[in-house]
Amino acid sequence: MSEPRRAANRLADSIDAAVAAIGPQLIAWRRDVHAHPELGNREVRTASIVAAHLRALGFDDVRTEVGVTGVVGLLRGALPGPVVALRADMDALPVEERVDVPFASKVRTTWNGEDVGVMHACGHDAHVAILMSVASVLAGLRGELRGAVKFIFQPAEEMPPAGEQGGARLMIEQGALEDPAPEAIFGLHVTSMLPTGVIGWRAGPAMASSDSFRITVRGRQTHGAMPWRGVDPIVTAAQVVLGLQTIVSRQVDLTHEPAVVTVGAIKGGVRENIIPDTVEMRGTIRTFDEAMRDDVHARVHDTAENIARAARAGCDVCVAKNYPVTINDSELTAAMLPTLERVAGAHRAVHMPKVAGSEDFSFYQHVVPGLFFFVGVTPPAQDVKTAAPNHSPLFFIDESGLPLGVRALANLAFDWLEAHAA
Ligand SMILES: [Zn+2]
Ligand SMILES: [Zn+2]
């Protein structure tokens, strides 16, 4: 076992003692938020608990309703220095919980017109509880703190309801990263992909961009027995689906970065002997490089439009840009890795493969250097390869893994401020 590379900071023992002391509260907060999950832009109860907590701690500023339900708190240390930001997302998912715990969610609501169960199936309940605990820990040590820590509790990471704005982008538009502006930002995600006690990190592109597309192929309706009397959008759509698959397999340089183009929904026609007017398909595009992202978008347009033209069909392609690539600033990652290695312990801060999922933490990273990392919550006895993943109705959090998240964020903030205070 090699020694962790960074010596403990001057407050390491105090931070550890404070994290141990807040432990029962951390679990209580997590269970309370878990039992009362709220969907994106509806985190009213969660946000009010967060805001009341930050105010009770004597924060210098607590702003609410930033980006609909977001909360931004500022904790100034007693000593002069720069500003660092920490972010937690607060929203749950339209998933019906199937985990057998006493605090399982029984909540139901209406989402985009449908009756759905609501569950913290992505673990944002843990993120809220972790960041509330970090607030307690650092507030207790503010006499020793240089500079200030900005706490960002963000709604709607999983996308707001149809027709609404929300999430990181809206919080930034509404000033979350201003007054004062942080010079670095840290965030974490609990994951089934790592066991309890392990931190996963990666420099550079770490999570994919996520964009959605909608393609409408417009043919001309006719009798199924006489296709020559119309234009068949079904056969054309089938060619478009296969054509789109050649973008990743034949056109982009996969040795540079991977990419994914998936058609996830296709709809057209009502019965066997009618060739319909239109077929509509929807899909998702994932990339790990912003230039590649734009290139793939252009190729989706070219492929669909030109295949349709060859069939003399019309074609409308709409690509909606959702989340950018989550890119961990290389310098910041290198500078803070020793902190992660120290808090996790030797060999327990592991280099992660890229994740094809996406994160709107990426929007903050477009404004300020940021580091987003993973904290394992799969019980040690379970195989991470078969553990129910985030978003599953069976996603389970080993709560004994949560204090490591508190220690990681508290020490990252403290170490960063120590290193950058003039
Ligand atoms: Zn999620
Ligand atoms: Zn998430």
Side-chain angles (χ1 to χ4, degrees), residues 89 91 122-124 127 157-158 189-190 358-359 372 390-391:
D89 41 10
D91 55 322
C122 201
H124 300 181
H127 303 168
E157 193 285 325
E158 306 279 4
H189 209 300
V190 294
S358 64
E359 246 298 331
F372 191 75
N390 298 57
H391 288 209

Side-chain angles (χ1 to χ4, degrees), residues 112-310:
N112 293 341
E114 277 184 66
D115 174 59
V116 293
V118 186
M119 175 192 176
H120 267 294
C122 201
H124 300 181
D125 51 339
H127 303 168
V128 170
I130 286 171
L131 197 53
M132 286 174 74
S133 302
V134 174
S136 294
V137 169
L138 292 181
L141 299 170
R142 67 192 300 179
E144 305 277 341
L145 207 60
R146 300 184 204 278
V149 185
K150 183 171 251 190
F151 289 74
I152 298 174
F153 290 86
Q154 180 211 301
E157 193 285 325
E158 306 279 4
M159 305 276 285
E164 294 182 28
Q165 300 286 309
R169 179 161 42 184
L170 188 64
M171 284 198 83
I172 294 166
E173 280 171 17
Q174 298 190 358
L177 294 182
E178 294 157 34
D179 193 28
E183 291 174 46
I185 185 165
F186 300 108
L188 60 73
H189 209 300
V190 294
T191 178
S192 69
M193 295 183 290
L194 295 172
T196 299
V198 173
I199 283 175
W201 65 275
R202 183 177 189 90
M207 297 182 75
S209 61
S210 170
D211 302 313
S212 49
F213 64 86
R214 182 184 290 261
I215 298 172
T216 307
V217 178
R218 289 178 281 103
R220 199 168 66 249
Q221 187 160 325
T222 182
H223 199 295
M226 292 171 274
W228 53 88
R229 299 282 298 271
V231 174
D232 186 345
I234 289 186
V235 169
T236 306
Q239 290 177 302
V240 169
V241 171
L242 294 178
L244 293 176
Q245 295 314 305
T246 66
I247 295 172
V248 171
S249 69
R250 304 287 86 181
Q251 300 179 45
V252 301
D253 182 355
L254 292 177
T255 65
H256 176 56
E257 290 290 355
V260 178
V261 177
T262 291
V263 176
I266 182 162
K267 204 170 138 193
V270 289
R271 54 176 282 160
E272 71 276 13
N273 61 354
I274 299 174
I275 290 171
D277 253 335
T278 61
V279 169
E280 187 182 283
M281 52 195 127
R282 286 180 293 142
T284 188
I285 300 166
R286 307 294 167 117
T287 69
F288 290 88
D289 175 280
E290 291 294 333
M292 214 163 144
R293 182 187 188 194
D294 292 337
D295 182 52
V296 170
H297 291 185
R299 289 172 191 273
V300 166
H301 274 276
D302 289 351
T303 302
E305 288 161 4
N306 286 302
I307 287 173
R309 186 170 307 132

